[in-house]
Amino acid sequence: MNINVLLINITAAIFALYGLGFVFAPTQLALLVTDAAPATATALTDMRATYGGMSVAIGIVLFVLSSKAETIRLGLIAVLLLMLGMAGGRLVGLTIDGAQNQIMYIYLAFEAAASGAAWFLLRCSKQS
């Protein structure tokens, strides 16, 4: 397994596991991540769908992209865009919303590291 596939698969696994956690334990994970839990059944269902189902789907898409040589570059682009989007949204939140828990800074660091790694690997890889 090369480093490109490894980065895509690690990112895929994190999305898939995170998503499964939010599908099956949304209250507990919401409390851990945001210091608050959804207060209604509708909010829980939306959290299961958005943080859960969509994250699982993203993980699966990334695993699929990493499974064929001809889609590995697209997988790296997906990792780059996903991580930049998340980091960008998190930076807006940190700036506008003020004080955050430590998990937000840890997530930002991981998002920045993953996007930096994807960018670096894309620059180093041959154009297809």
Side-chain angles (χ1 to χ4, degrees), residues 3 10 16 22 26 37 41 50 57 66 70 78 81 93 98 112 122 124 128:
I3 189 98
I10 288 171
F22 271 101
T50 305
S66 75
E70 59 270 12
L81 294 175
L122 281 164
C124 292
S128 298

Side-chain angles (χ1 to χ4, degrees), residues 69-121:
E70 59 270 12
T71 56
I72 290 172
R73 184 168 181 78
L74 183 57
L76 287 174
I77 292 168
V79 169
L80 176 64
L81 294 175
L82 286 163
M83 295 297 98
L84 284 177
M86 292 177 74
R90 198 170 311 281
L91 283 171
V92 169
L94 289 168
T95 302
I96 293 174
D97 303 327
Q100 306 282 322
N101 67 26
Q102 291 301 316
I103 290 178
M104 293 301 108
Y105 296 103
I106 293 167
Y107 281 5
L108 180 60
F110 281 122
E111 291 155 1
S115 62
W119 178 82
F120 177 79
L121 292 172

